[in-house]
Amino acid sequence: MSTSLIVVCPHCHAPNRVPAERLDSGGTCGKCKQALFAGAPLELDAHSFDKHIGRSELPVLVDFWAPWCGPCRMMAPAFAQATRQLEPQVRLAKLNTEEHQAPAARFGIRSIPTMILFKDGREIARQSGAMDAANIVRWVKTAL
């Protein structure tokens, strides 16, 4: 019997059941018919944050950042590169703490950039400070 995972669509945020053995082939959303993986970090807002963290059975790595933060801007290309290396086993997403303060406050974000790795709706690891792509990938794989 095949196991499946719930993968939340990055476009319409609908949950999709994907057979685990077909995860590497990506797949499309049953609701909006768009690709479930885009090879780029997903931009979250307060509503989509809760959907992806609470519903996805994939681990979700969230970069809490702000546009005025120099280290955040410096890390953005590395985070995008890490996305291409970690998807589809991990969903990578970004949350602008200036525009969406409630999730940042709920998780006690005191400095940015801060990355939090979530699994099954719970925080399992946290790292503050800018990192290059290789270190992001290594940190995530170690945490999982």
Side-chain angles (χ1 to χ4, degrees), residues 73-135:
R73 290 193 317 269
M74 284 180 14
M75 189 177 82
F79 196 76
Q81 185 179 353
T83 302
R84 292 186 291 276
Q85 293 176 41
L86 291 168
E87 274 190 350
Q89 284 71 35
V90 180
R91 167 82 69 205
L92 277 75
K94 298 177 75 66
L95 183 97
N96 181 335
T97 60
E98 287 293 303
E99 293 179 2
H100 310 289
Q101 296 176 7
R106 190 168 70 211
F107 288 95
I109 302 299
R110 301 280 182 254
S111 65
I112 52 174
T114 292
M115 293 180 290
I116 299 180
L117 182 60
F118 296 91
K119 186 168 184 189
D120 299 323
R122 294 176 300 131
E123 178 180 334
I124 62 168
R126 179 182 293 229
Q127 175 71 43
S128 292
M131 297 171 74
D132 63 23
N135 283 321

Side-chain angles (χ1 to χ4, degrees), residues 9-83:
C9 177
H11 307 285
C12 71
H13 311 295
N16 290 265
R17 188 168 300 280
V18 178
E21 67 272 4
R22 294 185 53 213
L23 194 60
D24 286 335
S25 64
T28 56
C29 176
K31 182 176 179 183
C32 73
K33 309 301 183 213
Q34 295 191 58
L36 290 175
F37 299 100
L42 171 63
E43 293 288 336
L44 297 175
D45 58 25
H47 176 71
S48 61
F49 177 88
D50 289 333
K51 286 218 173 211
H52 284 269
I53 300 308
R55 290 293 316 246
S56 180
E57 292 180 346
L58 288 178
V60 180
L61 177 63
V62 179
D63 173 20
F64 291 85
W65 71 285
W68 52 261
C69 169
C72 297
R73 290 193 317 269
M74 284 180 14
M75 189 177 82
F79 196 76
Q81 185 179 353
T83 302

